[in-house]
Amino acid sequence: MSQRKEVYLVIGGSGFVGRHIVEHLLARGDIVCVFDIVQRHHDVDFYSGDITDESQLLDVLGKTGTTCIIHTASPPHGAKDPSIYYKVNVDGCKAVIAAAQAAGVTKLVYTSSAGVVFDGGDVINLDERAPFPEKPFDAYNDSKAQGEKLILEANGKGGLLTVALRPAGIFGEGDRQMMVGLYQAYQRGQTHFQVGDNNNLFDYTYVGNLAKAHLIAADKLSSPSLPTSSQETLTTDSLKAE
Ligand code: NAD
């Protein structure tokens, strides 16, 4: 029996992570479209739109016949007005879920953040079972946590399977945040300071591996062995990229 060919819509596909996901999908011969408020790349079908507008999403999902959404969009960390985070990451996720269910999309992969469990203190050996902190670290991380919760709660509802990934720091080709920040610190002469006792650790992930993890997560969503009940997530073991 021939299987239906997946059609991917990468929301935020003009961004750093989204762009790598698009390239990985193209490299394996998949059908890919991008939905974003800005257009930075021109080698795939591009749809200009804002995820907070459900009707724009519905229109694009219908036009493209999308079967799998990979949702990477978010305002970058450090915005002056925190309300933008709640608008895009919380209201935006609600609109993405509603549009996906209405359009018959079967899979939704969400780029969350390791910051959803960060409260400013040490984070040691936490896994997916850890609760969100009672006092969120900041509006960005709080909005990412709320968005992630909505996405996972939508799992198995309205014909939609969902999963969320939580990267920490991301590095690699096309980064416009981390290296810029490091370079600005260098320009300010802030090269001689130490945080704590110099033994602090932080997770960094290569963007290419993260892109692969998104593809593996999407593929795993159609695996018959996958749990479909709400709140169950893929473990990091099942997502190991080669
Ligand atoms: P990015 O800023 O490079 O890309 C985000 C994209 O989303 C941009 O192209 C932007 O135009 C688009 N976008 C923003 N608001 C939108 C809206 N309302 N409608 C449609 N598109 C919109 O960011 P990135 O570094 O690629 O991050 C991707 C995801 O990974 C984000 O969800 C972010 O929270 C998460 N994340 C990033 C890092 C990191 O270190 N970069 C770490 C952890 C998690």
Side-chain angles (χ1 to χ4, degrees), residues 15-17 36 40 50-51 72 111-112 140 144 168 170 176:
F16 171 43
V17 174
D36 203 304
R40 291 200 189 85
D50 186 328
I51 55 163
T72 71
T111 318
S112 181
Y140 169 81
K144 292 295 291 185
I170 307 167
R176 286 172 293 119

Side-chain angles (χ1 to χ4, degrees), residues 41 68 80 107 120 137 144 149 185 196 205 222 240-241:
H41 313 286
C68 176
K80 286 198 180 92
K107 299 181 186 180
F137 184 65
K144 292 295 291 185
K149 189 165 178 284
T205 305
S222 47
K240 266 181 192 144

Side-chain angles (χ1 to χ4, degrees), residues 11-18 35-38 40 49-52 71-76 88-89 110-114 140 144 167-170 175-178 210:
I11 298 179
S14 297
F16 171 43
V17 174
F35 181 96
D36 203 304
I37 42 175
V38 294
R40 291 200 189 85
D50 186 328
I51 55 163
T52 62
H71 172 19
T72 71
S74 167
V88 177
N89 292 340
Y110 178 59
T111 318
S112 181
S113 168
Y140 169 81
K144 292 295 291 185
I170 307 167
D175 159 45
R176 286 172 293 119
Q177 289 184 58
M178 192 173 77
L210 180 62

